[in-house]
Each structure stands twice: as structure tokens, then as C-alpha cells.
Amino acid sequence: MGGMQHDHTVLFVDDEVNILKALQRLLRTEKMNVLCASRGHEALEMMERTPAQVVVSDQRMPEMPGVEFLSAVRERHPDVVRMMLTGYTEMNVAVEAINRGEIYRLITKPWNDDELRATIRQAFDHSDLKREIKRLNQVTREQNFKLQDMNRNLEQKVRDRTKQVAEKHQELRTAYVQTIRALAEAVDAKDAYTRGHSERVGVYASKIARQMGFPKEMIERVYIAGLLHDVGKIGVRDAVITKPDRLTAEEYDEIKQHPEIGARILEPVDFLSEVVPCVRHHHEWFDGSDAGYPDRLHGDRIPLPSRIILVADTVEAMTSDRPYRKALPLDVVVTELNKYSGSQFDPICVEAFLALLERQGDSFIRKDLKFDIYEFIEG
Ligand SMILES: [Fe+2]
């Protein structure tokens, strides 16, 4: 049988020893191992021990005919290239075998030496090609798995990163709000009587906004506008702001400047561009009366946050002590709101406040509560 010194192996199966010998002689100088068997069973056993890429079988053999043998090879070693070596008389069998896809080529006896050598070489090429395609498919499959794995990792990374960015964004917004609160506190601190006023207006206004069913961004905007509504008082003289007596007409005019001053202060801040008009119009009257300022807008022309803040501002001011009076009870506040609903106040804002009051009672105006706008919005 000889050693297996080559990469390619062909196995011939024929019951005639002379044919096998002739084939071995023919291929002696070729770069391939040549194995021989005289029975189908023997060949199948041999293939279990020694892999062959090409099998060439005679058709007419005792025990197991060639078609049956090649069919068994196809079943056990589907990658092996199968060929049939047959005499003219067995042609009909061989053609049927080809048609059933059992074999790659048919070689007729007697054969032409050069043709047979060429056919065997082609069979090895065919085998190599099939193996290469199989290998490439395998590589592609493995790379697809790797890619899917990488995609999964990437998706996870993107999710983690997005979460981090969202957290950073929230931290920044919280820091903004803290800065804004500090500014509002500085305004309120001009007058001992208004300490905490802006913060409470922001809280009341955001509660009214939520009662009215606004989306989160709108509630946040109402809160920030509430915090900043009186920021323009920074530009009004302390003597006017803290004056305990009745204001003169000139002093009142000076006070009435604060919404415009506030809007001018906030205008350069990109982040607050939506808040600016809310601050500017928080003293407009709903009916557009001359009592409102600065632009005597009416109805829908007044930004909704401004209309909400006006109600919250009034409620907060009336329920706080002033130099000239003590805090007023809520029923007086309700009477006042009802009296001016439709003239000074937007009726739907008054209605929303009254619905809240109905539910929460005195606790609505508790002054000592800690308030976190983002907890409130999410809660
Ligand atoms: Fe104001």
C-alpha cells in the first residue's frame, strides 16, 4: 500500500486485480497516494481508517455492486468525490447513477491513460474547491458570530453611555436650578417680608401646572419662571421695595418696571429663552385692562406660565405676613380669586388652583416643605 506521503489520496475499488495493478502503475509518478480494494465492504472499512478525497469504483463486483457502494460512500463521506469506472455493457446503470447525483464523472473501460490521469486531477481540484468553500463558509459563520457578539457589546456600551450622559444632563439641570434659586433668594432677601416668596411661587405654580395636566418640560418651565418672576426687582431701589407705607405714583411706576427689567436680565441666557416672556408678562391682566403691565396683553396673548404665576403670586402674597397686615386666611384668598377670575386672572388657572385646594386644603400653603422640582415632575 505504501506510505501516505502526499496530500491527495484516491481509492480504486475493482474485483479484477489486473485492473488495480494497471491503475497503480499509471499513477505511480503522480503526486497522490493510491489505495486499492477489491470489494465494496473492504473499501468502506479502509475509508474509516484512511481518508480519501476521490473514490473510483467498478460497477460489476460480487457482494456489493458499484452503485450501491458509491451510495454508501455518499451517505458516510458526503464530501468525497465519487467516480465510476465501467464497461460499455454497464452504461445504462452508470448513466442512472449520474442522473441520481451519485457520481461526479464516468470513466469507460478501456480507458485512455492521459484522460484518466487528467480526470483524477480534476477530481482532486473539485474536492479542494469544495473543501475551500466549506472552510470559507465556516470562517464567515464564525465571523458573523463574532460580529453579533461585538454588536451586542457595542449596544450595551451605547446604552451605558446614554445613561451616563442622561445622568450628567440631569446633574447639570439640577445645578442650573440651584443657581436660579440662589438668584431668586438674593432678590427676596432685599425685603425681610418676602423671604422665600419666589421659591413658594415656583412651587405653587408648578403644582397648578401639573393640575392642569401639562407635560414635564412645561411644568419645569413654569417652576423656573416662578422662581425668577420678580428677578427684575434687583433693578428697583431698596427704598421703594421695602417702603412700609403707601407708595407714591412715581414709586409705583418704578415698581412696575420689574417685569421688563427681569426680562432684560434673563434675555442673554440661552437656557432661559423660553422663560423670558413668562417673566415679562406675569403682571398682565387676563382681560387686557390698564391695570396690567407692561404690554396690556389679554387672554391667550399672555403666556400661560405667566397667567399661572399671577395666581400663584397672589396666593403666596396674600397668605404671607406684610408690614401693614398679617397673613390672610385661605377663604379670603378664594373670595379674592373668584372676584377677579376673568378680569385679572385666567379662569382656568383659578379653577385648577381651587381644585388643588379642595384636595390639599391648608397643606397647600405650608411654608416649610422641601421641594425638588425633578422629584415632583417624576412623582
Ligand atoms: Fe412681580
Side-chain angles (χ1 to χ4, degrees), residues 93-122:
V93 180
V95 167
E96 199 199 329
I98 290 183
N99 288 341
R100 280 180 13 219
E102 304 285 1
I103 63 173
Y104 167 70
R105 285 282 166 81
L106 185 69
I107 305 159
T108 46
K109 289 181 198 170
W111 61 80
N112 171 294
D113 282 357
D114 291 336
E115 259 175 42
L116 181 58
R117 269 195 294 259
T119 304
I120 302 246
R121 270 189 236 112
Q122 273 172 23

Side-chain angles (χ1 to χ4, degrees), residues 17 20-21 90 104 137 141 152 346:
V17 180
L20 292 175
K21 278 186 176 161
E90 296 134 2
Y104 167 70
N137 280 338
R141 244 195 317 276
R152 266 194 295 278
D346 180 350

Side-chain angles (χ1 to χ4, degrees), residues 63-244:
E63 291 167 28
M64 187 190 275
V67 171
E68 202 180 304
F69 163 69
L70 288 175
S71 181
V73 172
R74 184 193 197 186
E75 206 161 290
R76 295 182 204 186
H77 309 280
D79 295 335
V80 170
V81 180
R82 301 169 302 277
M83 297 199 286
M84 187 167 270
L85 189 58
T86 182
Y88 181 73
T89 48
E90 296 134 2
M91 273 301 242
N92 54 339
V93 180
V95 167
E96 199 199 329
I98 290 183
N99 288 341
R100 280 180 13 219
E102 304 285 1
I103 63 173
Y104 167 70
R105 285 282 166 81
L106 185 69
I107 305 159
T108 46
K109 289 181 198 170
W111 61 80
N112 171 294
D113 282 357
D114 291 336
E115 259 175 42
L116 181 58
R117 269 195 294 259
T119 304
I120 302 246
R121 270 189 236 112
Q122 273 172 23
F124 281 127
D125 287 347
H126 183 70
S127 164
D128 289 349
L129 201 63
K130 268 168 65 174
R131 199 169 45 206
E132 184 60 8
I133 288 169
K134 209 174 171 184
R135 190 187 68 80
L136 287 175
N137 280 338
Q138 182 61 25
V139 168
T140 307
R141 244 195 317 276
E142 277 167 16
Q143 282 180 345
N144 273 340
F145 278 130
K146 264 186 211 154
L147 267 176
Q148 277 171 14
D149 209 43
M150 279 163 76
N151 268 339
R152 266 194 295 278
N153 283 335
L154 206 61
E155 277 166 18
Q156 185 58 43
K157 270 191 188 135
V158 169
R159 267 198 297 275
D160 291 349
R161 215 59 200 122
T162 307
K163 190 160 161 262
Q164 279 173 13
V165 169
E167 281 167 3
K168 268 276 169 272
H169 180 73
Q170 192 50 48
E171 272 172 36
L172 269 179
R173 289 196 87 77
T174 302
Y176 264 129
V177 166
Q178 278 163 358
T179 308
I180 290 165
R181 284 175 65 174
L183 187 62
E185 272 169 35
V187 175
D188 293 344
K190 288 183 82 160
D191 181 351
Y193 280 93
T194 56
R195 183 153 300 146
H197 168 72
S198 297
E199 167 71 18
R200 284 192 296 273
V201 169
V203 174
Y204 298 174
S206 45
K207 285 181 178 178
I208 294 170
R210 192 169 76 174
Q211 171 68 29
M212 293 170 82
F214 290 128
K216 293 172 182 180
E217 306 77 40
M218 183 68 166
I219 298 173
E220 185 195 21
R221 187 187 308 162
V222 167
Y223 174 70
I224 290 172
L227 284 179
L228 291 171
H229 73 287
D230 274 348
V231 76
K233 284 188 176 169
I234 286 176
V236 178
R237 285 183 298 132
D238 289 10
V240 178
I241 285 173
T242 57
K243 188 176 178 185

